[in-house]
Amino acid sequence: MRRPIINWLIVMLVIVLFACLALFVSQKALASGKELSSVTKPITKVNDLKENIDYFEETGELTNENVIHELKIHLTAVEHFENNNKLTKVIKHLDGFNELLKHQIENGQISEKVYRQLKSNTAKLIKETKIKNEEPKLMVYYRAWRDVTMQGVNTDLPDENQMSMDDIPYGVDIVNVFSFVPEGEEDQAAPFFEELKDTYVPNLHERGMKVTTAIDYRDLVDGIEYVGETPTEEEYDKYAQEILEEKVYAYNLDGLDIDMEFYPTTEEVEISDGIIKALSKYIGPKGEEGTLLVYDTNGSNLDPFENIADSFTYLGYQQYGSDSERTESAIADYEDVFPKGRFMPGLAFPEEQDYNNRWYDAEEPYEKSNIKNIAEYVYENDLYGMFLYALDRDGRTYEEEDLNHVKPTNLLWTKTAILEVKGYSLDESKELAVHHWNRVQELDGEKDETIQKIHDATSIYEVNKVLLGSSDNFEKDAASLEYDPLYEEILIENEQ
């Protein structure tokens, strides 16, 4: 009878041992899981990195109080920008956090484990922030025949052109070169295209801007040559490369803007679909990274768009003379084939010698203007951005004096639209303006009437107007025509 009892005791002992082993393994797994979740959970905000540091402090991986303080104080500063939705600054200062980590590992202040984990999670947060940081963009149509290097082209006005592409303000993200050179005026236009390639494009690229050029849809379709009833894939591809070589690559541009303002036939749609598919292999979201392919239209005819919608970076919608009600309607027209996050409504300044159209997009009072309305709508509804046609005509009106002359501009409306569409607050615009005035006047805190006017302003437009002056009299009432809000912000950041 004793052997069964012994066997039973052995079995019970084995069970107890297995239970203890299981408990030990589960506790280790729990601890491991806690460690894993503490440093590898989804990283979506700056506080997640702070929690990583707390964990390493709790587990003894981080013990140097000065090092811990340095890391946390840096992240607190980054968190301030995050809370104020200044995501570009978040990215910049996270790069600085990486440099701090590098300095600490090189000086033996943190372990390899801490360095690798914090660096990895910082990279994840930078990637996540960049996705969020697709802030609304501002695109401008730059009319090449009004550049200072292209005098007397496509015009019968005797006035000299006033604007250069180097005058385009900071904060413009995309410049669309819009050009028409009448036959026989090619020699007069040539200096512009030389300047475009050799000077303008490099300068704009250095400032982070993309540069595209426009092509009319009809020219796009009519230009292809083919042998059979319809072009072959090889013929489409050859034609696409010819277009890009002539219009984009020859000037080191970033992409192509297809201007669609008529109703094509079914046959023309079939051909344009083939051309655009061929182009999309090289530029746009399917092509080389960083390049643009744009569909630019003033209507909601889906036929020439729906089959190749995914080839385009964004859709520019010409809604001149209209407010956000038309924007909403157009977004609804396209919603089944194109996301609103890639939709860019556009307005226009008055063109010279245009005796037919009356858009009134940039008309005071500013608070009731279409530019104010669309800029706010774009920002609040997460659209791709907005565009302004005829940049050089910023501030002009439909009065006879303006319609029949080429005049300089202070870019008051454009510089205001940049701040509005990117979500700058009134207080932030005042900070930029005050910084500029203090810098150019070297006031050193001295009480100044201009500073008071800036503080008293009730809109971003009024703030900018204090320095840039009024559109029709800035030669006399401007305090500082060189004021560029987004350039001023760069200067402020460089001081920190």
Side-chain angles (χ1 to χ4, degrees), residues 61-103:
E61 291 283 350
L62 277 175
T63 57
N64 187 317
E65 290 185 3
N66 289 332
V67 167
I68 294 169
H69 177 74
E70 272 189 320
L71 293 171
K72 287 186 174 181
I73 200 70
H74 191 106
L75 290 179
T76 297
V78 181
E79 199 167 32
H80 168 75
F81 294 124
E82 182 182 66
N83 292 338
N84 287 280
N85 204 35
K86 297 298 182 184
L87 300 186
T88 299
K89 291 183 178 179
V90 170
I91 294 167
K92 176 182 177 181
H93 289 281
L94 284 175
D95 285 334
F97 185 69
N98 267 332
E99 290 299 313
L100 176 59
L101 291 173
K102 182 179 178 182
H103 170 78

Side-chain angles (χ1 to χ4, degrees), residues 409-410 415 436 467-469 474-475 478-484:
T409 174
N410 61 357
K415 290 177 179 178
H436 173 81
L467 294 179
L468 296 171
F474 58 83
E475 293 94 342
S480 179
L481 278 173
E482 68 183 72
Y483 177 54
D484 187 326

Side-chain angles (χ1 to χ4, degrees), residues 286-301:
K286 295 182 175 182
E288 183 180 348
E289 185 176 356
T291 59
L292 309 176
L293 182 55
V294 182
Y295 189 79
D296 204 333
T297 187
N298 59 358
S300 297
N301 179 18

Side-chain angles (χ1 to χ4, degrees), residues 31-43:
S32 177
K34 180 182 177 182
E35 177 179 348
L36 189 65
S37 64
S38 296
V39 292
T40 64
K41 72 174 187 178
I43 304 296

Side-chain angles (χ1 to χ4, degrees), residues 2-194:
R2 293 181 62 188
R3 185 176 297 276
I5 293 174
I6 293 173
N7 290 342
W8 181 80
L9 289 174
I10 293 173
V11 170
M12 291 299 295
L13 181 61
V14 170
I15 292 173
V16 171
L17 287 173
F18 270 109
C20 291
L21 180 61
L23 180 60
F24 174 76
V25 169
S26 65
Q27 288 177 333
K28 289 288 287 183
L30 183 61
S32 177
K34 180 182 177 182
E35 177 179 348
L36 189 65
S37 64
S38 296
V39 292
T40 64
K41 72 174 187 178
I43 304 296
T44 60
K45 54 187 183 297
V46 175
N47 190 60
D48 295 330
L49 289 178
K50 283 185 166 182
E51 289 181 358
N52 286 178
I53 294 170
D54 289 339
Y55 172 78
F56 285 128
E57 188 178 3
E58 291 170 5
T59 57
E61 291 283 350
L62 277 175
T63 57
N64 187 317
E65 290 185 3
N66 289 332
V67 167
I68 294 169
H69 177 74
E70 272 189 320
L71 293 171
K72 287 186 174 181
I73 200 70
H74 191 106
L75 290 179
T76 297
V78 181
E79 199 167 32
H80 168 75
F81 294 124
E82 182 182 66
N83 292 338
N84 287 280
N85 204 35
K86 297 298 182 184
L87 300 186
T88 299
K89 291 183 178 179
V90 170
I91 294 167
K92 176 182 177 181
H93 289 281
L94 284 175
D95 285 334
F97 185 69
N98 267 332
E99 290 299 313
L100 176 59
L101 291 173
K102 182 179 178 182
H103 170 78
Q104 290 178 343
I105 185 69
E106 288 175 349
N107 287 276
Q109 296 174 312
I110 57 175
S111 68
E112 186 69 28
K113 176 182 177 181
V114 170
Y115 173 72
R116 284 200 313 268
Q117 194 63 62
L118 289 178
K119 182 181 178 183
S120 173
N121 284 349
T122 301
K124 291 176 185 177
L125 184 56
I126 289 174
K127 182 178 180 181
E128 182 73 21
T129 306
K130 283 182 176 178
I131 292 173
K132 295 177 183 176
N133 195 37
E134 280 222 5
E135 66 179 8
K137 295 173 174 54
L138 196 289
M139 185 269 273
V140 296
Y141 266 87
Y142 188 85
R143 304 185 311 158
W145 64 90
R146 284 303 172 205
D147 187 83
V148 292
T149 62
M150 197 189 287
Q151 301 287 352
V153 175
N154 191 31
T155 185
D156 59 7
L157 293 177
D159 304 332
E160 289 191 359
N161 291 340
Q162 302 290 323
M163 193 171 191
S164 152
M165 290 188 82
D166 287 334
D167 298 326
I168 295 172
Y170 282 76
V172 169
D173 301 285
I174 304 166
V175 180
N176 188 33
V177 180
F178 193 57
S179 176
F180 175 71
V181 179
E183 187 176 349
E185 297 181 358
E186 292 84 0
D187 289 346
Q188 291 166 268
F192 168 78
F193 292 102
E194 292 175 8

Side-chain angles (χ1 to χ4, degrees), residues 424-462:
Y424 284 75
S425 68
L426 176 58
D427 285 342
E428 287 170 327
S429 73
K430 290 180 178 180
E431 178 185 347
L432 297 171
V434 168
H435 182 274
H436 173 81
W437 189 244
N438 282 329
R439 179 172 62 83
V440 300
Q441 292 299 311
E442 299 181 354
L443 297 174
D444 294 328
E446 178 184 343
K447 187 175 181 181
D448 182 86
E449 182 181 349
T450 300
I451 296 291
Q452 190 58 50
K453 288 180 179 178
I454 292 170
H455 286 310
D456 291 343
T458 58
S459 72
I460 294 175
Y461 180 79
E462 285 185 12

